Amino acid sequence: MKNWLPRLVSKAPFTVHTKLVGAFFAIAALLIVFGLVVMQVLSGMNRRSEDLSRLRRKVAAFRQLQRDTIAQLYIATSALLSPQERELENALRQLNEYRYDLERLQFVTKNEVELFGKINAEHERLNQLIVQVLELTRRRDFARAEALRSQTPPLADSLERLTNEMVNRAEADMEARVDESHRAYLTSRWVVIGFAVGSIGLAILLGYAVSTSLVQPITLMDSRLKQIASGDFSKRVDVPNRDELGTLADNLNRMSNELKSLYQQIETASRHKSDFLASMSHELRTPLNAIIGYSEMLTEEAEDRNQKDLIPDLQKIRASGKHLLVLINDILDLSKIEAGMIELSPESFDVAGLIEEVVDMVQPLIAKNANVLAINRPDDLGSMYADVTKVRQILFNLLSNACKFTEQGTITLDATRQEPGGGARLSLTVRDTGIGMTPEQMGLLFQPFWQADAQTRRYGGTGLGLAITRQFCSVMGGEIRVASAPGQGTTFTVTLPCSAAARPGEALLPADTGRRARSA
């Protein structure tokens, strides 16, 4: 269930370019909406800040009006207590200024109209009362003036109470607005945080869905290509995409099927070839052995009859026959390896004796190019339980290869016996001072029928000796390593266990021998 969104994006019938552009615009739209929300929140905060500023000015104006009211009531009360015309006129003038300040007050709201009406009414009554007291005082009617002065304290108290109520209402309104602004700020903050987290989450989810819908098919196809490269054509890659990746997956499956069919044809042809070469073993070797045998007999007969002019030609026939037999044996050995027919017949033998035998076999090749062979080995190499024929062929191949590519140089054979914890092992190292190889040539060295370049082809051979040597080493549980540099010679090192896994009468048929030979 967790991959439903990537699968939904994968199944969308749009191109990869359209999906990427759509994801980009979706994320851009989220950013735009987030910006609009932030701007709206900031606008609301600015509006509330202006309202609070206006309320503060209103409260300040109301308090000033309150102070002016108290001061004017004090002046009016003082004037009425000592009814002098001059004091009364001053009180009346102060009340008229108060009315002017009250009329130009700008912060009166609809809820305060009634209260201000009462203040105006009480102020008007007080103003009229002082006017009447002033008139009566001018006419020296002190008795009636005194009667009107008794009405002044209730009016002053009422006007002061209404003014205080006006200020208290304004202050309460401001406190309510402050609390409301604080609550709005908290709400706006959580809205912005929530929208930001939501936008980031949606952007991450969208990016994950789009990237997964693109990367997962590529990963599956990469894995499938690796399987195809290893020779496994049995699986298919299934992707839900309805875009270029889906088309690519279909083409990959189609290519896999075609490669499987082609590979089967190649395997069939290779098997037929190996079977043919393996079955032709006696047919090819029998006439060659006859040619070699008859050439040897004719050579002996020519020597007995003192027909020396025939001996060089007969020796050439014998040498050519043996050379052809060596080439055919190499091809037959490789065909057996590819067909999985190679067998091991282990037996106990003396390692030093085997080395001397191979050295005797390779002496003509050493002398041919005027080389010198140096042998370094301990006095007692002990015995070895392995297939003596294949060990002999491994060493002969290495020495003959060194002789072939070295002229008037030195070939060194180092033989040592190692006793690691896993069992005794024989190490054979062949070094020459010949033409050497580049790293690229060493990478292709063990491939069948491979020869480095035109310069090495002039030395002859089939290019099978080292390929067969590596396969023999692998079958017997050993390994072969090579180190070389152009113009500085080459060093081959073979390491073989001194005790084979099989016992007399048992045959080793490695299942992967043919596959390794094909990949070499």
Side-chain angles (χ1 to χ4, degrees):
M1 290 295 293
K2 63 180 181 179
N3 290 327
W4 66 270
L5 186 57
R7 292 184 66 86
L8 182 64
V9 175
S10 299
K11 293 181 179 179
F14 303 108
T15 64
V16 174
H17 178 264
T18 302
K19 291 177 182 178
L20 291 175
V21 172
F24 171 78
F25 278 110
I27 294 175
L30 285 174
L31 293 176
I32 292 173
V33 173
F34 177 69
L36 293 175
V37 170
V38 171
M39 290 180 62
Q40 185 68 23
V41 169
L42 292 177
S43 177
M45 293 177 64
N46 183 63
R47 186 172 58 255
R48 286 188 292 272
S49 177
E50 292 177 353
D51 291 341
L52 285 176
S53 178
R54 187 166 53 252
L55 279 174
R56 289 191 182 94
R57 293 196 301 271
K58 175 180 177 179
V59 170
F62 282 8
R63 285 176 178 170
Q64 183 61 41
L65 186 64
Q66 182 187 36
R67 288 192 293 269
D68 292 344
T69 301
I70 293 172
Q72 290 171 3
L73 289 176
Y74 175 78
I75 293 173
T77 303
S78 299
L80 291 173
L81 289 177
S82 56
Q84 297 180 5
E85 183 177 351
R86 184 176 174 181
E87 295 293 333
L88 289 173
E89 287 180 352
N90 182 44
L92 186 60
R93 186 170 57 254
Q94 291 289 335
L95 289 176
N96 287 332
E97 291 180 359
Y98 175 79
R99 175 184 293 176
Y100 175 74
D101 293 338
L102 194 62
E103 288 177 352
R104 69 176 185 174
L105 199 62
Q106 300 177 354
F107 300 102
V108 180
T109 62
K110 292 182 180 180
N111 298 331
E112 298 169 338
V113 171
E114 182 179 358
L115 179 60
F116 269 80
K118 292 180 180 179
I119 292 175
N120 282 326
E122 293 296 317
H123 182 271
E124 183 66 23
R125 290 177 59 190
L126 180 61
N127 191 52
Q128 290 178 358
L129 182 63
I130 292 177
V131 169
Q132 291 176 5
V133 171
L134 178 60
E135 291 295 329
L136 291 174
T137 301
R138 287 175 177 173
R139 293 198 301 264
R140 304 294 180 176
D141 190 352
F142 296 110
R144 292 181 62 186
E146 182 64 26
L148 290 176
R149 276 200 309 271
S150 62
Q151 300 177 12
T152 302
L155 286 175
D157 292 341
S158 176
L159 185 59
E160 184 177 1
R161 178 177 56 78
L162 291 174
T163 305
N164 291 337
E165 183 180 354
M166 175 188 67
V167 174
N168 292 335
R169 282 189 182 184
E171 290 179 344
D173 190 16
M174 187 178 70
E175 291 295 329
R177 290 295 181 86
V178 169
D179 293 340
E180 179 184 355
S181 178
H182 181 67
R183 289 193 300 271
Y185 164 73
L186 294 178
T187 302
S188 300
R189 184 181 67 177
W190 286 114
V191 167
V192 171
I193 293 175
F195 198 87
V197 172
S199 299
I200 294 173
L202 287 175
I204 293 175
L205 184 62
L206 182 60
Y208 166 76
V210 174
S211 62
T212 302
S213 68
L214 300 180
V215 172
Q216 192 172 24
I218 295 175
T219 303
L220 291 174
M221 286 186 282
D222 178 68
S223 176
R224 183 70 192 103
L225 285 172
K226 291 179 180 178
Q227 293 173 350
I228 293 174
S230 64
D232 182 7
F233 303 97
S234 61
K235 299 178 182 178
R236 287 176 51 85
V237 56
D238 295 322
V239 298
N241 293 54
R242 298 172 61 187
D243 49 28
E244 295 92 336
L245 294 177
T247 303
L248 183 60
D250 293 338
N251 292 333
L252 179 60
N253 291 326
R254 188 159 46 251
M255 181 193 71
S256 177
N257 293 333
E258 294 176 357
L259 286 176
K260 179 180 180 181
S261 176
L262 181 60
Y263 188 76
Q264 290 173 346
Q265 296 175 15
I266 294 174
E267 277 195 328
T268 302
S270 178
R271 185 168 58 253
H272 290 333
K273 179 263 298 180
S274 299
D275 293 342
F276 171 76
L277 291 176
S279 65
M280 290 297 292
S281 173
H282 294 292
E283 287 75 4
L284 292 174
R285 285 174 174 170
T286 300
L288 279 175
N289 288 328
I291 292 172
I292 294 172
Y294 278 115
S295 64
E296 291 176 349
M297 292 171 58
L298 291 173
T299 300
E300 293 176 359
E301 186 176 351
E303 289 176 351
D304 293 339
R305 295 183 178 184
N306 199 23
Q307 296 175 336
K308 296 182 179 180
D309 55 333
L310 298 178
I311 293 176
D313 293 331
L314 293 174
Q315 288 177 343
K316 290 179 182 179
I317 294 174
R318 179 175 175 272
S320 298
K322 284 191 174 183
H323 179 67
L324 182 57
L325 183 60
V326 170
L327 298 181
I328 291 175
N329 285 336
D330 286 346
I331 295 174
L332 291 174
D333 285 338
L334 183 63
S335 67
K336 285 184 177 181
I337 292 172
E338 291 180 346
M341 297 171 60
I342 187 171
E343 297 181 0
L344 293 182
S345 300
E347 59 182 274
S348 295
F349 60 91
D350 182 63
V351 178
L354 175 68
I355 293 176
E356 292 177 0
E357 179 183 349
V358 175
V359 169
D360 290 339
M361 293 169 58
V362 84
Q363 279 296 342
L365 298 177
I366 295 174
K368 180 180 178 181
N369 288 342
N371 292 318
V372 177
L373 176 62
I375 301 175
N376 301 318
R377 64 176 180 85
D379 294 336
D380 184 15
L381 282 174
S383 62
M384 185 175 182
Y385 183 75
D387 191 320
V388 62
T389 302
K390 291 178 174 52
V391 176
R392 182 189 298 114
Q393 187 170 351
I394 289 173
L395 183 56
F396 180 80
N397 287 345
L398 294 180
L399 288 173
S400 62
N401 191 73
C403 294
K404 184 189 302 183
F405 296 105
T406 305
E407 295 181 359
Q408 298 180 357
T410 301
I411 299 170
T412 304
L413 170 61
D414 294 326
T416 58
R417 187 183 183 93
Q418 303 171 355
E419 301 284 345
R425 300 179 73 84
L426 175 67
S427 177
L428 300 173
T429 301
V430 176
R431 293 192 302 273
D432 63 60
T433 58
I435 61 175
M437 291 180 292
T438 64
E440 293 76 12
Q441 291 172 341
M442 285 192 291
L444 302 171
L445 182 63
F446 296 104
Q447 292 189 12
F449 304 104
W450 180 85
Q451 291 176 324
D453 49 30
Q455 181 183 2
T456 58
R457 292 190 190 101
R458 69 182 180 88
Y459 293 96
T462 60
L464 294 177
L466 292 177
I468 294 173
T469 299
R470 189 183 74 162
Q471 294 300 329
F472 283 172
C473 290
S474 178
V475 169
M476 289 191 290
E479 62 177 354
I480 181 171
R481 300 186 302 275
V482 59
S484 183
Q488 299 181 17
T490 304
T491 300
F492 287 94
T493 301
V494 170
T495 304
L496 298 172
C498 290
S499 178
R503 289 293 177 262
E506 296 182 0
L508 299 182
L509 298 174
D512 63 338
T513 302
R515 180 180 61 80
R516 286 198 302 267
R518 284 191 297 273
S519 64

